[in-house]
Amino acid sequence: MGFLSFHQRYYAAALDRLESGPPGRAELYEAGQLLKLLDDLVDEGYPLLSRTLEETCGAVSRLHALLETHHGTVFPIQKKLLAATAYGQKDVEPQAVCALLLARVRAGVPASADPFLSDLRAYCRWLPHGSDTATVFLLRDAFLPYLYCVNMGWDDLYPWVINRDFLAQAAGDGADDLLRMPIYEALESGARDYAAFADFCLPRIRQALGRYPALERTLRELLEAIPAKKLLVVESGYCGTIPLTLAALDDRVDFRLYTTAPFLYSVYRDKIFCRRYEQIRSFETLYAQDALMRFSALRGGRFYVRTAADETVWARAAGEAAALLASP
């Protein structure tokens, strides 16, 4: 059971179903999403799944053939920005970056014309909020939702930079993959709703965390420092590894994702804003979220980042923020 075996079974079954008759619009859309998922992983430097599926069931070739024959959409790859960005040497807190960007917006900057920002605004408005709930934003990807909620005057907002860089520093390479493994094992076990999925996943994630005692201690300390009755974790989506990890450590945790992988649509049904996996890169490759900052350190329970040295990145990030905060 695991990452490769789940995808092999899932893609083989999906392809047989999609090819069983003339595909309609829904089938072609699904095929495009499944191909996009593989293309995104290759672009991020993880070609093993795509290569394995092509060798075992011709997945990539068959998806391309299906889309080309029936005039379906091959979704383009949107390149990540981080690798091409240089960063300063000063550590600052994400709250300070947010304040600087809001000051630029209030001083007047041209709003970005990126059409995805209106959808991102709708996602921000969809997020639940209550007086008994603290909201944790997983940065970098949820920086603009954090900025939106700050601008709305929400209380109890926590920008946490928990990503691959954080995990590598706290636990070493491989922790991210080990924490994600129970997700695929749960799917292979037949879990199709969140209750069964969580019952399977959460104990196994806690077990995996046992291999990284420093990481587990750090996460518990962060969670325990928030006194709220409920915790809502916000991020872009895909597998939801970090929200699930936090939920495994604290019963107060719930989460919301912009979207997820097609094979998790039914599991995360009430926790996702939309079923448009093909747009996840539109969320993740905004300048404010992909290039403006990178994780530097966690000290004394406070996250620190280093910000882009290029003024162009700041200007484009401010334009995105301006468009996000525009009415309606």
Side-chain angles (χ1 to χ4, degrees), residues 45-281:
Y46 300 98
L48 177 61
L49 178 60
S50 182
R51 186 168 61 242
T52 300
L53 292 179
E54 181 65 17
E55 292 171 353
T56 56
C57 66
V60 177
S61 298
R62 290 166 67 185
L63 287 169
H64 272 291
L66 185 70
L67 293 167
E68 291 168 8
T69 300
H70 299 281
H71 309 290
T73 300
V74 176
F75 296 112
I77 296 173
Q78 292 167 276
K79 295 291 185 179
K80 293 268 188 172
L81 305 169
L82 183 62
T85 306
Y87 293 87
Q89 298 301 307
K90 182 181 178 181
D91 285 353
V92 297
E93 293 185 71
Q95 293 91 329
V97 182
C98 179
L100 288 170
L101 210 59
L102 282 174
R104 287 187 176 223
V105 172
R106 290 162 183 165
V109 294
S112 169
D114 187 336
F116 178 74
L117 289 160
S118 62
D119 203 42
L120 182 59
R121 186 191 310 120
Y123 170 61
C124 294
R125 290 176 174 172
W126 171 78
L127 295 173
H129 179 59
S131 59
D132 60 351
T133 302
T135 309
V136 173
F137 299 84
L138 297 181
L139 278 51
R140 301 181 314 272
D141 292 347
F143 178 66
L144 283 175
Y146 167 66
L147 179 144
Y148 179 92
C149 294
V150 168
N151 190 64
M152 290 293 292
W154 287 19
D155 296 321
D156 290 333
L157 307 180
Y158 296 83
W160 288 4
V161 195
I162 299 181
N163 55 17
R164 290 175 186 169
D165 290 342
F166 167 84
L167 290 174
Q169 187 178 110
D173 293 333
D176 190 34
D177 292 336
L178 191 63
L179 293 172
R180 189 180 298 110
M181 191 60 63
I183 294 172
Y184 297 107
E185 293 173 345
L187 292 170
E188 280 196 299
S189 77
R192 293 297 178 267
D193 62 75
Y194 184 73
F197 180 79
D199 284 345
F200 187 101
C201 276
L202 300 189
R204 288 165 174 81
I205 291 175
R206 285 192 291 270
Q207 184 178 14
L209 276 171
R211 298 180 58 175
Y212 306 102
L215 172 62
E216 181 176 359
R217 182 172 60 253
T218 295
L219 294 178
R220 286 189 183 278
E221 289 172 352
L222 286 167
L223 291 164
E224 290 167 0
I226 300 177
K229 182 179 178 180
K230 300 176 184 177
L231 301 181
L232 183 75
V233 178
V234 175
E235 75 153 346
S236 57
Y238 190 45
C239 284
T241 306
I242 300 304
L244 283 172
T245 299
L246 297 175
L249 295 175
D250 195 319
D251 292 338
R252 297 176 296 163
V253 171
D254 193 6
F255 56 91
R256 294 294 183 273
L257 314 176
Y258 172 74
T259 192
T260 189
F263 47 78
L264 283 164
Y265 284 159
S266 63
V267 170
Y268 289 153
R269 179 180 54 194
D270 299 328
K271 301 179 185 298
I272 57 173
F273 174 69
C274 66
R275 296 188 172 202
R276 297 190 293 271
Y277 168 79
E278 74 281 2
Q279 289 191 339
I280 196 167
R281 281 289 188 96

Side-chain angles (χ1 to χ4, degrees), residues 78-83 85 87 140-141 143 281 283-294 313 320:
Q78 292 167 276
K79 295 291 185 179
K80 293 268 188 172
L81 305 169
L82 183 62
T85 306
Y87 293 87
R140 301 181 314 272
D141 292 347
F143 178 66
R281 281 289 188 96
F283 194 117
E284 295 174 347
T285 59
L286 292 164
Y287 278 85
Q289 305 197 144
D290 191 24
L292 185 60
M293 71 186 80
R294 67 179 302 171
V313 172
E320 290 167 351

